[in-house]
């Protein structure tokens, strides 16, 4: 395949955890990768080195996905650097958990901006490119709690439920341009985000009796990007059977 025909994937929050695994899995499938992250230079550089060792091109972009202007600027740079975009994984996210009675506006807004508004901020500046290509695959990282809610996570559940509505609506708008839009709803996945949770106790309640790995999610991302050519508007649960 000539370099100009190479497929390109942009994964937000790819320095660590799920995003990192997605970036590596897509690199193994032959994609050049734009890795974005917030501040952890060491982790981002490690991911980039690992991707380059696979034999594809990779570049890291440090910016805050909760800021519209920063996203627009980075997206413009990424399109200029790579020349096209085939897969966008809106993955970056944070939690600021707390009971609703004590939840302040700062923690509400941080979570909505970083998990939900970021998907709008990143998708808007790249959608014209996908429309022109008449192809594209967008994957939004939702969560089981976006489907079922969770005490102590009103902000996070609202953001992740918002991503589900966003996914279904975009799928309907963009289907005629051969752009597919899906969401993944992970259960408990072993990353920095779930560090400190009582994993053994949690595993007892999961039908598959274990927490998920970032690679479990990454394999689903690759499937949606490469194999799921007639799948759009879907919320794919990757949760060991927690939500059935
Ligand atoms: P993680 O290990 O904490 O990694 C978060 C990633 O997002 C890092 O690359 C981080 O960059 C980046 N990030 C955070 N805030 C950002 C910001 N404001 N701007 C730009 N990048 C930012 O998280 P994870 O567990 O892999 O989660 C990834 C996604 O899956 C999130 O959307 C999360 O809500 C979702 N999810 C996770 C689980 C789970 O059990 N882990 C379950 C359901 C859904 P730095 O390294 O620079 O900080």
């Amino acid at each position: 395949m000539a370099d100009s025909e190479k497929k390109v994937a942009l994964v937000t929050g790819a320095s660590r955890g799920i995003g990192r695994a997605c970036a590596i899995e897509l690199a193994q499938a032959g994609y050049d990768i734009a890795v974005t992250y917030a501040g952890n230079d060491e982790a981002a550089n490690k991911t980039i080195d690992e991707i380059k060792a696979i034999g594809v091109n990779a570049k890291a972009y440090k910016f805050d996905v909760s800021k519209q202007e920063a996203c627009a600027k980075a997206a413009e740079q990424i399109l200029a650097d790579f020349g096209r975009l085939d897969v966008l994984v809106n993955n970056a996210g944070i939690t600021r958990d707390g009971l609703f009675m004590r939840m302040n506006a700062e923690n509400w807004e941080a979570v909505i901006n970083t998990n939900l508004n970021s998907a709008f901020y990143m998708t808007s500046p790249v959608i014209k490119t996908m429309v022109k290509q008449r192809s594209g695959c967008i994957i939004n990282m939702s969560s089981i709690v976006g489907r079922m809610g969770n005490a102590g996570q009103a902000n996070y559940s609202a953001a992740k439920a918002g991503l589900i509505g966003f996914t279904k609506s975009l799928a309907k708008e963009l289907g005629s341009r051969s752009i597919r839009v899906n969401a993944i709803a992970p259960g408990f996945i072993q990353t920095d985000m779930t560090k400190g949770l009582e994993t053994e106790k949690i595993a007892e309640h999961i039908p598959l009796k274990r927490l998920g790995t970032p690679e479990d999610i990454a394999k689903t991302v690759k499937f949606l990007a490469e194999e799921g050519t007639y799948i759009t508007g879907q919320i794919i649960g990757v949760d060991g059977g927690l939500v059935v």
Side-chain angles (χ1 to χ4, degrees):
M1 192 189 275
D3 262 8
S4 58
E5 291 167 7
K6 266 205 138 176
K7 289 186 181 176
V8 177
L10 191 179
V11 185
T12 68
S15 48
R16 294 182 283 124
I18 291 172
R20 176 179 173 279
C22 294
I24 289 168
E25 189 78 29
L26 289 170
Q28 279 162 350
Y31 287 78
D32 284 344
I33 312 283
V35 163
T36 93
Y37 69 110
N40 193 333
D41 297 321
E42 197 186 331
N45 289 336
K46 225 176 130 203
T47 303
I48 292 290
D49 288 347
E50 214 165 317
I51 294 172
K52 283 187 173 162
I54 294 166
V56 299
N57 189 17
K59 206 170 162 191
Y61 302 83
K62 176 158 72 169
F63 63 95
D64 185 348
V65 292
S66 72
K67 303 278 190 299
Q68 185 170 20
E69 211 176 305
C71 292
K73 225 172 122 189
E76 194 184 338
Q77 188 61 53
I78 290 165
L79 291 174
D81 290 347
F82 289 88
R84 59 179 292 124
L85 186 64
D86 299 284
V87 175
L88 167 65
V89 186
N90 286 314
N91 166 77
I94 56 163
T95 51
R96 294 282 183 275
D97 297 349
L99 291 176
F100 181 69
M101 296 267 276
R102 283 188 233 123
M103 187 171 289
N104 60 29
E106 193 186 324
N107 285 343
W108 175 268
E109 283 162 12
V111 167
I112 299 290
N113 288 337
T114 309
N115 293 272
L116 175 60
N117 291 345
S118 60
F120 168 67
Y121 299 154
M122 286 309 297
T123 309
S124 320
V126 302
I127 202 65
K128 270 192 192 145
T129 299
M130 286 187 171
V131 167
K132 263 193 216 149
Q133 289 170 186
R134 295 193 78 81
S135 72
C137 171
I138 298 169
I139 299 164
N140 297 313
M141 209 54 74
S142 181
S143 166
I144 45 165
V145 305
R147 296 171 128 178
M148 60 184 209
N150 195 21
Q153 290 196 307
N155 49 359
Y156 186 74
S157 307
K160 295 304 188 186
L163 280 178
I164 291 175
F166 177 66
T167 298
K168 292 184 178 183
S169 301
L170 272 198
K172 290 185 176 179
E173 275 189 43
L174 297 169
S176 64
R177 314 299 170 99
S178 302
I179 298 167
R180 295 179 296 107
V181 189
N182 293 288
I184 294 176
F188 288 95
I189 309 299
Q190 280 173 314
T191 69
D192 292 343
M193 191 176 268
T194 49
K195 241 186 207 167
L197 296 182
E198 293 182 57
T199 51
E200 274 175 25
K201 269 196 188 157
I202 291 169
E204 282 172 22
H205 299 286
I206 300 172
L208 286 181
K209 300 291 172 209
R210 67 169 177 92
L211 271 70
T213 63
E215 289 70 28
D216 288 323
I217 307 299
K219 281 186 242 170
T220 311
V221 163
K222 192 187 104 185
F223 169 77
L224 285 172
E226 289 284 288
E227 314 287 343
T229 46
Y230 200 51
I231 300 176
T232 195
Q234 302 304 306
I235 315 306
I236 316 285
V238 186
D239 59 11
L242 260 179
V243 178
V244 289

